[in-house]
mmCIF file with all atom_site columns, all heavy atoms in Angstrom:
data_model
loop_
_atom_site.group_PDB
_atom_site.id
_atom_site.type_symbol
_atom_site.label_atom_id
_atom_site.label_alt_id
_atom_site.label_comp_id
_atom_site.label_asym_id
_atom_site.label_entity_id
_atom_site.label_seq_id
_atom_site.pdbx_PDB_ins_code
_atom_site.Cartn_x
_atom_site.Cartn_y
_atom_site.Cartn_z
_atom_site.occupancy
_atom_site.B_iso_or_equiv
_atom_site.pdbx_formal_charge
_atom_site.auth_seq_id
_atom_site.auth_comp_id
_atom_site.auth_asym_id
_atom_site.auth_atom_id
_atom_site.pdbx_PDB_model_num
ATOM 1   N N   . THR A 1 130 ? 28.172 -3.965 8.734  1.00 98.00 ? 130 THR A N   1
ATOM 2   C CA  . THR A 1 130 ? 27.398 -2.957 8.058  1.00 98.00 ? 130 THR A CA  1
ATOM 3   C C   . THR A 1 130 ? 26.471 -2.340 9.079  1.00 98.00 ? 130 THR A C   1
ATOM 4   O O   . THR A 1 130 ? 25.746 -2.938 9.826  1.00 98.00 ? 130 THR A O   1
ATOM 5   C CB  . THR A 1 130 ? 26.643 -3.481 6.874  1.00 98.00 ? 130 THR A CB  1
ATOM 6   O OG1 . THR A 1 130 ? 27.573 -4.068 5.914  1.00 98.00 ? 130 THR A OG1 1
ATOM 7   C CG2 . THR A 1 130 ? 25.827 -2.353 6.172  1.00 98.00 ? 130 THR A CG2 1
ATOM 8   N N   . LEU A 1 131 ? 26.372 -1.028 9.027  1.00 98.00 ? 131 LEU A N   1
ATOM 9   C CA  . LEU A 1 131 ? 25.397 -0.196 9.784  1.00 98.00 ? 131 LEU A CA  1
ATOM 10  C C   . LEU A 1 131 ? 24.489 0.382  8.791  1.00 98.00 ? 131 LEU A C   1
ATOM 11  O O   . LEU A 1 131 ? 24.835 1.039  7.888  1.00 98.00 ? 131 LEU A O   1
ATOM 12  C CB  . LEU A 1 131 ? 26.044 0.794  10.632 1.00 98.00 ? 131 LEU A CB  1
ATOM 13  C CG  . LEU A 1 131 ? 25.120 1.850  11.309 1.00 98.00 ? 131 LEU A CG  1
ATOM 14  C CD1 . LEU A 1 131 ? 24.246 1.119  12.322 1.00 98.00 ? 131 LEU A CD1 1
ATOM 15  C CD2 . LEU A 1 131 ? 25.971 3.039  11.917 1.00 98.00 ? 131 LEU A CD2 1
ATOM 16  N N   . GLN A 1 132 ? 23.108 0.130  8.977  1.00 98.00 ? 132 GLN A N   1
ATOM 17  C CA  . GLN A 1 132 ? 22.116 0.673  8.034  1.00 98.00 ? 132 GLN A CA  1
ATOM 18  C C   . GLN A 1 132 ? 21.069 1.463  8.867  1.00 98.00 ? 132 GLN A C   1
ATOM 19  O O   . GLN A 1 132 ? 20.792 1.218  10.079 1.00 98.00 ? 132 GLN A O   1
ATOM 20  C CB  . GLN A 1 132 ? 21.347 -0.480 7.294  1.00 98.00 ? 132 GLN A CB  1
ATOM 21  C CG  . GLN A 1 132 ? 22.245 -1.257 6.455  1.00 98.00 ? 132 GLN A CG  1
ATOM 22  C CD  . GLN A 1 132 ? 21.512 -2.480 5.823  1.00 98.00 ? 132 GLN A CD  1
ATOM 23  O OE1 . GLN A 1 132 ? 20.844 -2.273 4.845  1.00 98.00 ? 132 GLN A OE1 1
ATOM 24  N NE2 . GLN A 1 132 ? 21.660 -3.604 6.436  1.00 98.00 ? 132 GLN A NE2 1
ATOM 25  N N   . GLN A 1 133 ? 20.418 2.488  8.140  1.00 98.00 ? 133 GLN A N   1
ATOM 26  C CA  . GLN A 1 133 ? 19.322 3.191  8.661  1.00 98.00 ? 133 GLN A CA  1
ATOM 27  C C   . GLN A 1 133 ? 18.180 2.887  7.754  1.00 98.00 ? 133 GLN A C   1
ATOM 28  O O   . GLN A 1 133 ? 18.144 2.915  6.543  1.00 98.00 ? 133 GLN A O   1
ATOM 29  C CB  . GLN A 1 133 ? 19.580 4.723  8.504  1.00 98.00 ? 133 GLN A CB  1
ATOM 30  C CG  . GLN A 1 133 ? 18.471 5.600  9.039  1.00 98.00 ? 133 GLN A CG  1
ATOM 31  C CD  . GLN A 1 133 ? 18.755 7.079  8.853  1.00 98.00 ? 133 GLN A CD  1
ATOM 32  O OE1 . GLN A 1 133 ? 19.815 7.500  8.309  1.00 98.00 ? 133 GLN A OE1 1
ATOM 33  N NE2 . GLN A 1 133 ? 17.824 7.954  9.406  1.00 98.00 ? 133 GLN A NE2 1
ATOM 34  N N   . VAL A 1 134 ? 17.018 2.498  8.443  1.00 98.00 ? 134 VAL A N   1
ATOM 35  C CA  . VAL A 1 134 ? 15.856 2.108  7.864  1.00 98.00 ? 134 VAL A CA  1
ATOM 36  C C   . VAL A 1 134 ? 14.717 3.045  8.241  1.00 98.00 ? 134 VAL A C   1
ATOM 37  O O   . VAL A 1 134 ? 14.429 3.216  9.393  1.00 98.00 ? 134 VAL A O   1
ATOM 38  C CB  . VAL A 1 134 ? 15.350 0.673  8.199  1.00 98.00 ? 134 VAL A CB  1
ATOM 39  C CG1 . VAL A 1 134 ? 14.035 0.263  7.537  1.00 98.00 ? 134 VAL A CG1 1
ATOM 40  C CG2 . VAL A 1 134 ? 16.514 -0.358 7.872  1.00 98.00 ? 134 VAL A CG2 1
ATOM 41  N N   . THR A 1 135 ? 14.087 3.733  7.253  1.00 98.00 ? 135 THR A N   1
ATOM 42  C CA  . THR A 1 135 ? 12.966 4.562  7.510  1.00 98.00 ? 135 THR A CA  1
ATOM 43  C C   . THR A 1 135 ? 11.757 3.702  7.865  1.00 98.00 ? 135 THR A C   1
ATOM 44  O O   . THR A 1 135 ? 11.323 2.961  7.050  1.00 98.00 ? 135 THR A O   1
ATOM 45  C CB  . THR A 1 135 ? 12.647 5.512  6.292  1.00 98.00 ? 135 THR A CB  1
ATOM 46  O OG1 . THR A 1 135 ? 13.795 6.222  5.947  1.00 98.00 ? 135 THR A OG1 1
ATOM 47  C CG2 . THR A 1 135 ? 11.445 6.393  6.609  1.00 98.00 ? 135 THR A CG2 1
ATOM 48  N N   . LEU A 1 136 ? 11.182 3.863  9.099  1.00 98.00 ? 136 LEU A N   1
ATOM 49  C CA  . LEU A 1 136 ? 10.110 3.032  9.469  1.00 98.00 ? 136 LEU A CA  1
ATOM 50  C C   . LEU A 1 136 ? 8.854  3.172  8.735  1.00 98.00 ? 136 LEU A C   1
ATOM 51  O O   . LEU A 1 136 ? 8.085  2.219  8.627  1.00 98.00 ? 136 LEU A O   1
ATOM 52  C CB  . LEU A 1 136 ? 9.843  3.285  11.044 1.00 98.00 ? 136 LEU A CB  1
ATOM 53  C CG  . LEU A 1 136 ? 11.030 2.971  11.942 1.00 98.00 ? 136 LEU A CG  1
ATOM 54  C CD1 . LEU A 1 136 ? 10.718 3.417  13.410 1.00 98.00 ? 136 LEU A CD1 1
ATOM 55  C CD2 . LEU A 1 136 ? 11.424 1.548  11.860 1.00 98.00 ? 136 LEU A CD2 1
ATOM 56  N N   . ALA A 1 137 ? 8.554  4.373  8.262  1.00 97.00 ? 137 ALA A N   1
ATOM 57  C CA  . ALA A 1 137 ? 7.259  4.594  7.459  1.00 97.00 ? 137 ALA A CA  1
ATOM 58  C C   . ALA A 1 137 ? 7.330  3.945  6.117  1.00 97.00 ? 137 ALA A C   1
ATOM 59  O O   . ALA A 1 137 ? 6.209  3.584  5.598  1.00 97.00 ? 137 ALA A O   1
ATOM 60  C CB  . ALA A 1 137 ? 7.099  6.060  7.378  1.00 97.00 ? 137 ALA A CB  1
ATOM 61  N N   . THR A 1 138 ? 8.467  3.768  5.505  1.00 97.00 ? 138 THR A N   1
ATOM 62  C CA  . THR A 1 138 ? 8.481  3.303  4.117  1.00 97.00 ? 138 THR A CA  1
ATOM 63  C C   . THR A 1 138 ? 9.270  1.992  3.959  1.00 97.00 ? 138 THR A C   1
ATOM 64  O O   . THR A 1 138 ? 9.143  1.329  2.956  1.00 97.00 ? 138 THR A O   1
ATOM 65  C CB  . THR A 1 138 ? 9.080  4.337  3.223  1.00 97.00 ? 138 THR A CB  1
ATOM 66  O OG1 . THR A 1 138 ? 10.471 4.565  3.576  1.00 97.00 ? 138 THR A OG1 1
ATOM 67  C CG2 . THR A 1 138 ? 8.386  5.711  3.325  1.00 97.00 ? 138 THR A CG2 1
ATOM 68  N N   . GLY A 1 139 ? 10.191 1.715  4.886  1.00 98.00 ? 139 GLY A N   1
ATOM 69  C CA  . GLY A 1 139 ? 11.079 0.529  4.707  1.00 98.00 ? 139 GLY A CA  1
ATOM 70  C C   . GLY A 1 139 ? 12.267 0.792  3.874  1.00 98.00 ? 139 GLY A C   1
ATOM 71  O O   . GLY A 1 139 ? 13.115 -0.080 3.687  1.00 98.00 ? 139 GLY A O   1
ATOM 72  N N   . SER A 1 140 ? 12.465 2.021  3.363  1.00 98.00 ? 140 SER A N   1
ATOM 73  C CA  . SER A 1 140 ? 13.670 2.318  2.582  1.00 98.00 ? 140 SER A CA  1
ATOM 74  C C   . SER A 1 140 ? 14.837 2.367  3.509  1.00 98.00 ? 140 SER A C   1
ATOM 75  O O   . SER A 1 140 ? 14.738 2.618  4.684  1.00 98.00 ? 140 SER A O   1
ATOM 76  C CB  . SER A 1 140 ? 13.462 3.714  1.912  1.00 98.00 ? 140 SER A CB  1
ATOM 77  O OG  . SER A 1 140 ? 13.299 4.749  2.854  1.00 98.00 ? 140 SER A OG  1
ATOM 78  N N   . ARG A 1 141 ? 15.997 1.955  2.994  1.00 97.00 ? 141 ARG A N   1
ATOM 79  C CA  . ARG A 1 141 ? 17.164 1.936  3.795  1.00 97.00 ? 141 ARG A CA  1
ATOM 80  C C   . ARG A 1 141 ? 18.351 2.498  3.081  1.00 97.00 ? 141 ARG A C   1
ATOM 81  O O   . ARG A 1 141 ? 18.399 2.641  1.860  1.00 97.00 ? 141 ARG A O   1
ATOM 82  C CB  . ARG A 1 141 ? 17.461 0.439  4.168  1.00 97.00 ? 141 ARG A CB  1
ATOM 83  C CG  . ARG A 1 141 ? 18.287 -0.362 3.201  1.00 97.00 ? 141 ARG A CG  1
ATOM 84  C CD  . ARG A 1 141 ? 17.416 -0.802 1.952  1.00 97.00 ? 141 ARG A CD  1
ATOM 85  N NE  . ARG A 1 141 ? 16.167 -1.493 2.305  1.00 97.00 ? 141 ARG A NE  1
ATOM 86  C CZ  . ARG A 1 141 ? 16.044 -2.810 2.374  1.00 97.00 ? 141 ARG A CZ  1
ATOM 87  N NH1 . ARG A 1 141 ? 17.099 -3.636 2.247  1.00 97.00 ? 141 ARG A NH1 1
ATOM 88  N NH2 . ARG A 1 141 ? 14.892 -3.406 2.665  1.00 97.00 ? 141 ARG A NH2 1
ATOM 89  N N   . ARG A 1 142 ? 19.381 2.929  3.909  1.00 98.00 ? 142 ARG A N   1
ATOM 90  C CA  . ARG A 1 142 ? 20.648 3.379  3.343  1.00 98.00 ? 142 ARG A CA  1
ATOM 91  C C   . ARG A 1 142 ? 21.733 2.961  4.305  1.00 98.00 ? 142 ARG A C   1
ATOM 92  O O   . ARG A 1 142 ? 21.491 2.809  5.528  1.00 98.00 ? 142 ARG A O   1
ATOM 93  C CB  . ARG A 1 142 ? 20.605 4.904  3.213  1.00 98.00 ? 142 ARG A CB  1
ATOM 94  C CG  . ARG A 1 142 ? 20.538 5.730  4.451  1.00 98.00 ? 142 ARG A CG  1
ATOM 95  C CD  . ARG A 1 142 ? 20.410 7.211  4.158  1.00 98.00 ? 142 ARG A CD  1
ATOM 96  N NE  . ARG A 1 142 ? 20.429 7.996  5.341  1.00 98.00 ? 142 ARG A NE  1
ATOM 97  C CZ  . ARG A 1 142 ? 21.451 8.766  5.705  1.00 98.00 ? 142 ARG A CZ  1
ATOM 98  N NH1 . ARG A 1 142 ? 22.558 8.764  4.955  1.00 98.00 ? 142 ARG A NH1 1
ATOM 99  N NH2 . ARG A 1 142 ? 21.408 9.551  6.859  1.00 98.00 ? 142 ARG A NH2 1
ATOM 100 N N   . THR A 1 143 ? 22.870 2.774  3.674  1.00 98.00 ? 143 THR A N   1
ATOM 101 C CA  . THR A 1 143 ? 24.030 2.241  4.437  1.00 98.00 ? 143 THR A CA  1
ATOM 102 C C   . THR A 1 143 ? 24.805 3.468  5.003  1.00 98.00 ? 143 THR A C   1
ATOM 103 O O   . THR A 1 143 ? 25.182 4.479  4.338  1.00 98.00 ? 143 THR A O   1
ATOM 104 C CB  . THR A 1 143 ? 25.071 1.459  3.503  1.00 98.00 ? 143 THR A CB  1
ATOM 105 O OG1 . THR A 1 143 ? 24.235 0.328  3.062  1.00 98.00 ? 143 THR A OG1 1
ATOM 106 C CG2 . THR A 1 143 ? 26.265 0.996  4.311  1.00 98.00 ? 143 THR A CG2 1
#
Side-chain angles (χ1 to χ4, degrees):
T130 301
L131 171 66
Q132 299 175 79
Q133 178 182 5
V134 179
T135 301
L136 297 176
T138 65
S140 62
R141 82 288 305 269
R142 66 188 183 102
T143 299

